Amino acid sequence: MNESAAGSVPPVLPGKEEAILQAAGRVFGRRGYHGSSIADVAAEAGVATGTIYLYFRRKEDLLIRLFQRSLQEYLESSRPLLAQAAAGEERLTRLVELHLEFFARDPDRARVFQIHLREVAPVLRDGITPTLREYVAIIDEVLRDGQAAGEFDAGLDLRLARHLLFGGLNEVVVSWLHADGRFELRDCAPACAAMLGRAFRRS
Amino acid sequence: MNESAAGSVPPVLPGKEEAILQAAGRVFGRRGYHGSSIADVAAEAGVATGTIYLYFRRKEDLLIRLFQRSLQEYLESSRPLLAQAAAGEERLTRLVELHLEFFARDPDRARVFQIHLREVAPVLRDGITPTLREYVAIIDEVLRDGQAAGEFDAGLDLRLARHLLFGGLNEVVVSWLHADGRFELRDCAPACAAMLGRAFRRS
Amino acid sequence: MNESAAGSVPPVLPGKEEAILQAAGRVFGRRGYHGSSIADVAAEAGVATGTIYLYFRRKEDLLIRLFQRSLQEYLESSRPLLAQAAAGEERLTRLVELHLEFFARDPDRARVFQIHLREVAPVLRDGITPTLREYVAIIDEVLRDGQAAGEFDAGLDLRLARHLLFGGLNEVVVSWLHADGRFELRDCAPACAAMLGRAFRRS
Amino acid sequence: MNESAAGSVPPVLPGKEEAILQAAGRVFGRRGYHGSSIADVAAEAGVATGTIYLYFRRKEDLLIRLFQRSLQEYLESSRPLLAQAAAGEERLTRLVELHLEFFARDPDRARVFQIHLREVAPVLRDGITPTLREYVAIIDEVLRDGQAAGEFDAGLDLRLARHLLFGGLNEVVVSWLHADGRFELRDCAPACAAMLGRAFRRS
DNA sequence: GATGAATGAGGGTTCATTCAT
DNA sequence: CATGAATGAACCCTCATTCAT
């Protein structure tokens, strides 16, 4: 009835699984993972409760797949854009911009990633870590390339630097969610990038 | 039965309310807020379920009070120690040390603060924000005093700087929790402080 | 799913909602509203606890709907029978007969209406009053028509007369319930009607 | 500490048991029997929860004793007043007046008797029936004396007549409670007595 | 007698998950 | 594939009752 031949036109044309995932993103974003029922998601997706279980084994899977799909999409689109920027601060700046842009584009996603995913994460470790590790690798690469280019301090503890970058930016995102539209997330990129650039810079 | 003659050192001396709070800290830390039942907490505290409700009105209150008590304790002990350090990087270093030390001392607390409190936070906003705001004020003061002392950049966006500091350090804590004892959290302080110092430094 | 081809006689044909309602009638009648648990009702209806909540939002609703359904059924069947009787004492007698017959037919219902509904009533006021008001209107009409026909005293305080009629008959029902089958409720109709007729009669 | 030698001054000087009973009357009247907790009653009485159990074995006992005390008081004060009135309609009128006056004087008591006592009644049968039977005897006597005096119909079914009287008046009381002060209960006595008088009168 | 902290069974309600249609 | 009624375990919370002080 739907799904159908996707033909050439790129990604969209939901398909029921995609529709459910998007519905879950909206519902979890609004009410939180624990505050949402499968029935809520089904209603938002316009399908029956049971239908969810044709595509997802457990409620958790909705969260895991939501995370995976979103992050993979992000990683794929980011990689070429990052490569275009010169190694070092320029590329770091690009990374910061992309990271913030990713969440600015979809507040519900931001809420799920930054807020609701956290408590559940320990349980879902296996579903989440592999995908996350890819992003970790990218960040580390940006930092290492910056070192190789002579812009970043060679003595940097890469793991700590990455946490600072990742955690710092995410906190900015969270503050933006709490601020509820009172400032533009994208506008924070330059100042964030500047501070992080100095943090990593060769002294 | 409990309480009893305290001898000299005043501080601990459970008392049932304190015992319950500590039990909640351990249980929530282990299984998460949503994964723990009031019965779990009661069992851990060695009291009956109903007893919890003699001291706490709702399950949420356990989390709120746990947060408030912990953070307030931390704030009170930190303030004098911070004041002893010279404004600027030295004091920033002290702040980083205290922050990490706070969580290093009690992994269960770290889990509750860094992981489980997040999703619930939106609901508990009123119980949490006021206390948190005090910490925010302290961080801001460290940054401002550093500016006044001529060590930190006067043009710094304080809000963003604070998020970087706070979010960055917390991510280090989370990574430490995930690492499950494979490194010493306190050891991260120097490198973190160094990076943050450079990030805020006058160029 | 059930319901099925009814053949000719339309009326019963449970349906799960109806089955639950009937079960609730029996259970409440036996143990009282406060003495019955949802689990009791579910067991009596042969369904799972959760199933009750597919058809009724709260425990109260069982009582309200039980009341409404019963009384409406009664009102609909009574109206034409009342209209057939001549205004005045004849119609009053018919009313008394119908009222007593209504409870005589189903002691559990009588217990719920006369005994268990009372305490709960204040809380359920909104659910009960509208339906009850219809019966009030019918009684008043019987009295007024009797006045118009010149049989009942024109100076009658209709409200008080109605309370006497309604409360008096209900007390007879209650006494019958307490007597536990030691007399036939229907047999009380003539004497009751006679007394009430005299009470309202033009002197 | 209290209770003490009552000396001559009549009934009052509460005493703790009396104070608790009065508190229970107010609390049950306001929130209903099932809506009130022992703690509520204790708070209203200004004693500790446990104290209740020094005077009353179970929660039910509060209700039973409340009923017994109230009704006995009423019976004792009514008997002489009834005796003063001439047998027949005059005494019936007096009975109606006393009955309504009894409830008009204390709406909380009216609520407990007319509303909250009902559902609980079946369980409390043994505690309530004996006392109630005394009132039944009084009513029957009024009716029988009226028959003997030649005013009331000798063929009257006494039991039914009593139910009509008792239930009818109680319904008037209930309607007064629901009306929440919009009319004066005592004012209903004449019309009620008139109707009942006609109902029982020799034709 | 009086207290009130403590108990723990019990009840209403929700919701992830299943399965007959 | 899709449905959505049905399930029943689980959980929060209340409260009558007890008992050590």
Side-chain angles (χ1 to χ4, degrees):
Chain A
M1 185 166 292
N2 46 25
E3 194 71 25
S4 74
S8 50
V9 244
V12 230
L13 289 192
K16 207 151 279 190
E17 178 177 336
E18 178 62 21
I20 291 171
L21 225 37
Q22 287 182 11
R26 287 190 299 273
V27 171
F28 291 170
R30 280 199 289 268
R31 302 217 264 276
Y33 176 74
H34 284 110
S36 310
S37 68
I38 289 285
D40 290 335
V41 175
E44 174 82 19
V47 301
T49 343
T51 306
I52 305 274
Y53 286 86
L54 296 175
Y55 297 92
F56 301 89
R57 282 233 317 255
R58 298 191 313 282
K59 193 188 175 191
E60 292 177 354
D61 289 1
L62 284 169
L63 205 50
I64 296 178
R65 301 257 292 269
L66 201 49
F67 172 82
Q68 291 176 337
R69 200 208 39 165
S70 259
L71 190 51
Q72 259 149 18
E73 226 180 273
Y74 167 66
L75 293 177
E76 277 160 36
S77 67
S78 304
R79 261 189 270 257
L81 296 172
L82 274 179
Q84 286 169 13
E89 290 206 34
E90 195 186 316
R91 189 173 291 166
L92 174 66
T93 301
R94 179 65 54 89
L95 179 66
V96 169
E97 287 165 356
L98 288 167
H99 189 101
L100 296 183
E101 168 65 21
F102 174 61
F103 292 112
R105 213 160 42 215
D106 186 347
D108 277 331
R109 166 163 60 192
R111 261 186 291 273
V112 172
F113 270 57
Q114 298 294 350
I115 296 179
H116 305 302
L117 196 60
R118 305 250 179 158
E119 169 163 21
V120 193
V123 188
L124 311 186
R125 202 67 146 284
D126 297 341
I128 281 179
T129 317
T131 313
L132 197 52
R133 225 186 285 278
E134 283 190 62
Y135 192 26
V136 164
I138 287 186
I139 298 179
D140 283 358
E141 211 184 311
V142 169
L143 294 175
R144 257 196 305 266
D145 289 351
Q147 289 177 316
E151 292 197 26
F152 294 160
D153 186 347
L156 229 46
D157 180 328
L158 279 190
R159 204 179 38 79
L160 285 184
R162 186 218 307 143
H163 291 322
L164 211 70
L165 165 66
F166 189 70
L169 289 181
N170 285 339
E171 182 67 24
V172 172
V173 175
V174 169
S175 80
W176 169 73
L177 287 172
H178 288 352
D180 215 23
R182 281 193 294 276
F183 67 90
E184 193 63 41
L185 183 56
R186 294 173 183 88
D187 295 345
C188 302
C192 286
M195 283 191 284
L196 289 169
R198 285 202 300 268
F200 304 151
R201 188 179 304 162
R202 209 165 92 179
S203 44
Chain B
M1 188 159 294
N2 46 25
E3 204 66 29
S4 75
S8 51
V9 245
V12 228
L13 296 188
K16 206 148 282 187
E17 179 177 336
E18 178 63 23
I20 292 170
L21 221 40
Q22 287 181 12
R26 287 191 299 274
V27 172
F28 290 171
R30 254 180 265 140
R31 303 216 261 275
Y33 177 75
H34 283 110
S36 311
S37 70
I38 288 285
D40 291 337
V41 175
E44 174 80 18
V47 300
T49 347
T51 305
I52 304 278
Y53 289 88
L54 294 177
Y55 298 91
F56 302 89
R57 283 233 313 251
R58 300 194 306 283
K59 193 189 175 191
E60 291 178 355
D61 289 0
L62 284 170
L63 204 52
I64 295 179
R65 300 257 292 270
L66 205 48
F67 172 81
Q68 290 177 337
R69 200 205 41 162
S70 260
L71 191 50
Q72 260 151 17
E73 228 179 272
Y74 167 66
L75 292 177
E76 276 160 38
S77 67
S78 305
R79 262 188 269 256
L81 296 173
L82 274 179
Q84 286 170 14
E89 292 206 32
E90 195 187 319
R91 189 173 291 165
L92 174 66
T93 301
R94 180 64 56 87
L95 180 67
V96 169
E97 287 164 357
L98 288 167
H99 190 102
L100 296 183
E101 168 64 22
F102 175 61
F103 292 111
R105 215 160 40 216
D106 187 347
D108 277 331
R109 165 164 60 194
R111 263 185 290 272
V112 172
F113 270 58
Q114 298 294 350
I115 297 180
H116 305 302
L117 196 59
R118 305 249 178 160
E119 169 162 24
V120 191
V123 186
L124 311 186
R125 207 58 151 286
D126 296 340
I128 282 179
T129 319
T131 312
L132 198 53
R133 224 186 286 277
E134 284 189 62
Y135 192 25
V136 164
I138 287 186
I139 299 179
D140 283 359
E141 212 184 311
V142 169
L143 295 175
R144 258 196 305 265
D145 290 351
Q147 289 177 317
E151 291 197 25
F152 295 159
D153 187 347
L156 228 47
D157 179 329
L158 279 189
R159 205 178 38 79
L160 284 184
R162 187 216 310 140
H163 291 322
L164 211 70
L165 165 66
F166 190 72
L169 289 182
N170 285 339
E171 182 67 24
V172 172
V173 175
V174 170
S175 80
W176 169 71
L177 287 172
H178 288 350
D180 216 23
R182 281 193 295 275
F183 68 91
E184 193 63 41
L185 182 55
R186 293 173 184 88
D187 296 345
C188 301
C192 287
M195 283 190 284
L196 288 168
R198 286 202 299 268
F200 304 151
R201 187 179 304 162
R202 211 166 91 178
S203 44
Chain C
M1 194 157 300
N2 44 25
E3 201 69 25
S4 74
S8 51
V9 244
V12 228
L13 294 187
K16 205 148 284 187
E17 179 178 334
E18 179 62 23
I20 291 170
L21 221 40
Q22 286 182 11
R26 287 191 300 274
V27 171
F28 290 169
R30 253 180 266 141
R31 302 216 262 276
Y33 176 74
H34 285 111
S36 311
S37 69
I38 289 283
D40 291 336
V41 175
E44 175 80 20
V47 300
T49 347
T51 305
I52 305 279
Y53 288 87
L54 294 177
Y55 297 93
F56 302 88
R57 280 233 314 249
R58 299 194 306 286
K59 194 189 175 191
E60 293 179 352
D61 289 0
L62 284 170
L63 204 51
I64 296 178
R65 300 257 292 269
L66 206 46
F67 173 81
Q68 290 177 337
R69 202 204 40 162
S70 260
L71 190 49
Q72 259 151 18
E73 229 179 86
Y74 167 66
L75 293 177
E76 276 161 35
S77 67
S78 305
R79 262 189 268 257
L81 296 172
L82 275 178
Q84 286 169 14
E89 292 206 32
E90 195 187 318
R91 190 173 291 167
L92 175 67
T93 301
R94 179 67 55 90
L95 180 66
V96 169
E97 288 166 355
L98 288 166
H99 189 102
L100 296 182
E101 167 66 20
F102 174 61
F103 292 112
R105 214 162 39 217
D106 185 347
D108 277 330
R109 165 164 60 192
R111 261 186 292 273
V112 172
F113 270 57
Q114 298 294 349
I115 297 178
H116 305 302
L117 196 59
R118 304 247 180 161
E119 169 163 22
V120 193
V123 186
L124 310 187
R125 204 63 149 283
D126 296 341
I128 282 179
T129 317
T131 312
L132 197 52
R133 225 187 283 279
E134 283 189 62
Y135 192 26
V136 164
I138 287 187
I139 298 179
D140 283 358
E141 211 184 312
V142 169
L143 294 175
R144 258 197 304 267
D145 289 351
Q147 289 177 317
E151 291 197 25
F152 295 158
D153 185 347
L156 228 46
D157 180 328
L158 279 189
R159 205 177 39 78
L160 285 182
R162 185 215 309 141
H163 292 322
L164 211 70
L165 165 66
F166 190 70
L169 289 182
N170 286 338
E171 183 67 24
V172 172
V173 175
V174 169
S175 80
W176 168 72
L177 286 171
H178 288 351
D180 215 23
R182 282 192 294 277
F183 67 90
E184 193 64 41
L185 182 55
R186 294 173 183 86
D187 295 345
C188 301
C192 286
M195 283 191 282
L196 288 169
R198 285 202 300 269
F200 305 150
R201 187 180 304 163
R202 209 163 91 177
S203 44
Chain D
M1 186 164 293
N2 46 28
E3 196 68 28
S4 75
S8 51
V9 244
V12 230
L13 290 192
K16 208 151 278 187
E17 179 177 335
E18 178 62 23
I20 291 170
L21 224 37
Q22 287 182 12
R26 288 191 297 274
V27 171
F28 291 169
R30 282 199 290 266
R31 304 217 263 274
Y33 176 74
H34 283 110
S36 310
S37 67
I38 290 285
D40 290 336
V41 175
E44 175 80 17
V47 301
T49 343
T51 305
I52 305 275
Y53 286 86
L54 295 176
Y55 297 92
F56 302 88
R57 282 233 319 257
R58 298 192 314 282
K59 193 188 175 191
E60 293 177 353
D61 289 0
L62 283 171
L63 205 51
I64 296 178
R65 301 256 291 271
L66 202 49
F67 172 81
Q68 291 176 337
R69 203 206 39 164
S70 258
L71 190 51
Q72 260 151 17
E73 226 181 273
Y74 167 67
L75 293 178
E76 277 160 36
S77 68
S78 304
R79 263 189 269 256
L81 296 173
L82 274 179
Q84 286 169 14
E89 292 207 30
E90 197 186 316
R91 191 173 291 167
L92 174 65
T93 301
R94 180 65 55 90
L95 180 67
V96 169
E97 288 165 356
L98 288 166
H99 190 101
L100 297 182
E101 169 64 21
F102 174 61
F103 292 112
R105 216 164 36 219
D106 186 347
D108 277 333
R109 167 165 57 194
R111 263 186 291 272
V112 172
F113 270 58
Q114 298 294 349
I115 297 180
H116 305 302
L117 196 60
R118 306 250 179 159
E119 170 163 22
V120 193
V123 186
L124 311 185
R125 204 59 150 287
D126 297 340
I128 282 180
T129 318
T131 312
L132 197 52
R133 224 186 287 278
E134 282 190 62
Y135 193 25
V136 164
I138 288 188
I139 298 179
D140 284 358
E141 211 184 313
V142 169
L143 295 175
R144 258 196 304 265
D145 289 352
Q147 287 177 319
E151 291 198 25
F152 295 160
D153 187 346
L156 229 45
D157 179 329
L158 279 191
R159 204 177 40 77
L160 285 184
R162 186 217 310 142
H163 292 321
L164 211 68
L165 166 64
F166 189 71
L169 289 182
N170 286 339
E171 182 68 22
V172 172
V173 175
V174 169
S175 80
W176 169 72
L177 287 172
H178 288 350
D180 214 22
R182 281 193 293 276
F183 67 91
E184 193 64 40
L185 182 55
R186 294 172 183 88
D187 295 345
C188 302
C192 286
M195 283 190 284
L196 289 168
R198 285 202 300 268
F200 305 150
R201 188 179 303 163
R202 213 167 88 177
S203 44

